[in-house]
């Protein structure tokens, strides 16, 4: 990926951070965002120490003008865009659907679904200029099947991300822009720790969730990062419109 430019949203933590590191290790120049600047600067330093190039820009993906400014940095800082991974998301609450607060519903949909669309809008403009490129949206197993851990708005948003991905794949196929989604099972990140700690017995919750995966373990963020970066790469040149589970067999049942 030498001389290629990659963009990652939510790259200052969790799976997104692993995606930034994976792109940089393959030689791409990376721009990434998140809201927490301090975390972003730490990732920049980590990449620089290993000889790579990555630049952090603060951006809230649910804010149109911030997204526009961020995505256009690919052009002003690095001369254009080749790959984008739309990863930023929030989990919301684990609450019965009929009791779910409207404000939190709005926030989850604004970040996870509308945020993905806003990023794609500006990314596609740059990819059309380049004449080719690849987008990967991070969905979830909750984008493929129902979730029984009381996160209906998150599930609705992540199913929406899969629909958005497939529609965009068809719309831009002849323009040489591939669009795919990755649907992770449970991955060890802050988001998952938050889910465990919202249950009365976090250790028991971890055991139960682990058992849902036929491989009987949780995944590390790097395993998702490798799949996302592979989908962006030329190694996946005939792959578009796919929602790829990276889930230890969760959705095979
Ligand atoms: N962990 C899992 O088990 C799991 C399973 C399936 C799918 N996923 C998906 O994988 C992706 C990454 O999840 P994760 O587990 O790595 O989550 P995480 O550890 O909570 O990280 C979320 C990332 O998104 C950023 N973010 C959140 N809201 C944002 C906003 N409004 N604007 C810009 N950035 C924002 C966060 O940075 P700031 O807080 O600084 O903004 C952070 O970098 C998400 O799409 C998630 O739905 C995760």
């Amino acid at each position: 990926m030498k001389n290629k430019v990659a963009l990652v949203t939510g790259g200052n933590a969790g799976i997104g951070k692993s995606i930034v590191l994976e792109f940089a290790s393959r030689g791409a120049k990376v721009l990434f965002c998140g809201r927490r600047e301090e975390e972003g600067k730490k990732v920049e330093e980590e990449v620089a120490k290993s000889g790579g190039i990555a630049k952090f820009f603060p951006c809230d993906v649910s804010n149109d003008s911030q997204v526009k400014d961020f995505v256009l940095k690919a052009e002003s800082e690095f001369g254009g865009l080749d790959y984008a991974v739309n990863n930023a998301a929030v989990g919301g609450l684990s609450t019965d659907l009929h009791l779910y607060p409207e404000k939190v519903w709005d926030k989850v949909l604004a970040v996870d679904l509308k945020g993905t669309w806003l990023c794609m809008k500006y990314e596609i403009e740059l990819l059309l200029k380049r004449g080719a490129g690849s987008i990967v949206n991070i969905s979830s197993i909750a984008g493929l099947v129902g979730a029984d851990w009381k996160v209906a708005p998150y599930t609705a948003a992540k199913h929406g991300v899969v629909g958005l991905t497939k529609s965009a794949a068809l719309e831009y196929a002849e323009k040489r822009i591939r669009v795919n989604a990755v649907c992770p099972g449970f991955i060890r990140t802050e988001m998952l720790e938050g889910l465990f700690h919202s249950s009365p017995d976090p250790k028991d919750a971890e055991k139960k969730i682990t058992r849902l995966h036929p491989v009987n373990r949780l995944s590390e963020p790097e395993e998702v990062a490798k799949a996302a970066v592979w989908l962006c790469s030329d190694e996946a040149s005939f792959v578009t419109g796919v929602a790829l589970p990276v889930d230890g067999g969760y959705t095979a049942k």
Side-chain angles (χ1 to χ4, degrees), residues 133-209:
S134 177
I135 294 177
V136 170
N137 295 323
I138 305 298
S139 176
S140 167
I141 45 174
L144 296 173
V145 294
D148 55 3
W149 58 97
K150 299 186 180 182
V151 288
Y154 179 76
T155 308
K158 291 298 186 178
H159 272 73
V161 168
V162 170
L164 195 58
T165 300
K166 291 186 178 180
S167 300
L170 298 177
E171 223 174 297
Y172 296 98
E174 289 189 10
K175 303 279 184 199
R176 301 180 61 223
I177 300 173
R178 294 184 298 105
V179 189
N180 292 290
V182 169
C183 300
F186 286 86
I187 319 294
R188 282 193 191 281
T189 65
E190 282 171 38
M191 187 180 276
L192 187 58
E193 290 304 322
L195 184 69
F196 290 156
H197 286 287
S198 70
S199 93
D201 183 347
K203 281 243 154 75
D204 186 54
E206 179 170 346
K207 262 193 202 158
K208 282 186 181 145
I209 284 178

Side-chain angles (χ1 to χ4, degrees), residues 93 97 99-109 153:
L93 295 171
L97 181 146
L99 302 173
Y100 208 92
E102 186 181 355
K103 265 197 174 161
V104 187
W105 165 281
D106 287 343
K107 165 97 177 166
V108 172
L109 271 288

Side-chain angles (χ1 to χ4, degrees), residues 10 12 15 35-36 59-61 87 89 139 154 158 184-185 187 189:
N12 54 353
I15 295 170
R35 292 159 304 169
R36 287 166 300 165
C59 165
D60 180 335
V61 296
N87 159 82
S139 176
Y154 179 76
K158 291 298 186 178
I187 319 294
T189 65

